[in-house]
Amino acid sequence: MSASLTGVLLRAEVTRPPEAVTFHADNLAFYRGVVGGNIEPVHLLEPAGSVYVNEGGLDLRLPMNPRATLLAAAANPLWRGGVLFGDALVVGPVDEDGWDTSAPEDYTKVLLAETGCRFHVEFQAPSSGRRRRLPGLEWTGKFTAYADGLRLADGFPGMAVRVVPAP
């Protein structure tokens, strides 16, 4: 049996806040229950992780998930232009045994942040430690920061967009 891990649930209904969920990585029924059917991962490169969605979301006419779509586009420059449908589950990268791990703190600190927090946008080449922050700019909404960061990413081809809490 796999260890307990924590993920972040991003519902397609944007009026519902992201929430932390705890489960076991080998509990396929939990994953399916969250997304409402068979799961499909979208790989996040920077920071590493996955967003699980319903593999038939478009065919099932599930509602678009704008927050999960923004997150996937920000974390994986190669995936930009795609759309995710239905509720989504954010987890960390797989471990050496192939099991998902908990969502990295880089995601949980932002996605689960309380209202009123401020955020910065950074750009980072996937698999590189070097980050480039936009100086002097702060956002009060995490998903607004992701959206604006993606618009600005046109000037930084191939770079992941990271949203980080402002100090």
Side-chain angles (χ1 to χ4, degrees), residues 22-39:
T22 303
F23 56 100
H24 288 276
D26 62 355
N27 187 347
L28 185 57
F30 176 82
Y31 286 80
R32 286 180 173 161
V34 167
V35 305
N38 290 330
I39 60 173

Side-chain angles (χ1 to χ4, degrees), residues 60-140:
L60 295 169
R61 297 184 181 186
L62 296 179
M64 179 187 164
N65 189 324
R67 298 179 298 185
T69 298
L70 282 172
L71 182 67
N76 187 342
L78 302 173
W79 189 84
R80 290 185 184 144
V83 178
L84 298 179
F85 296 91
D87 293 340
L89 178 65
V90 180
V91 298
V94 296
D95 64 17
E96 61 277 356
D97 296 321
W99 295 106
D100 287 324
T101 59
S102 288
E105 190 175 88
D106 287 349
Y107 289 127
T108 59
K109 283 175 70 174
V110 171
L111 297 175
L112 301 174
E114 298 293 324
T115 302
C117 291
R118 302 182 79 69
F119 303 94
H120 288 285
V121 170
E122 299 177 341
F123 300 96
Q124 181 176 1
S127 304
S128 163
R130 186 168 180 222
R131 296 183 192 181
R132 182 180 273 166
R133 178 176 290 174
L134 293 174
L137 296 175
E138 285 188 350
W139 284 261
T140 56

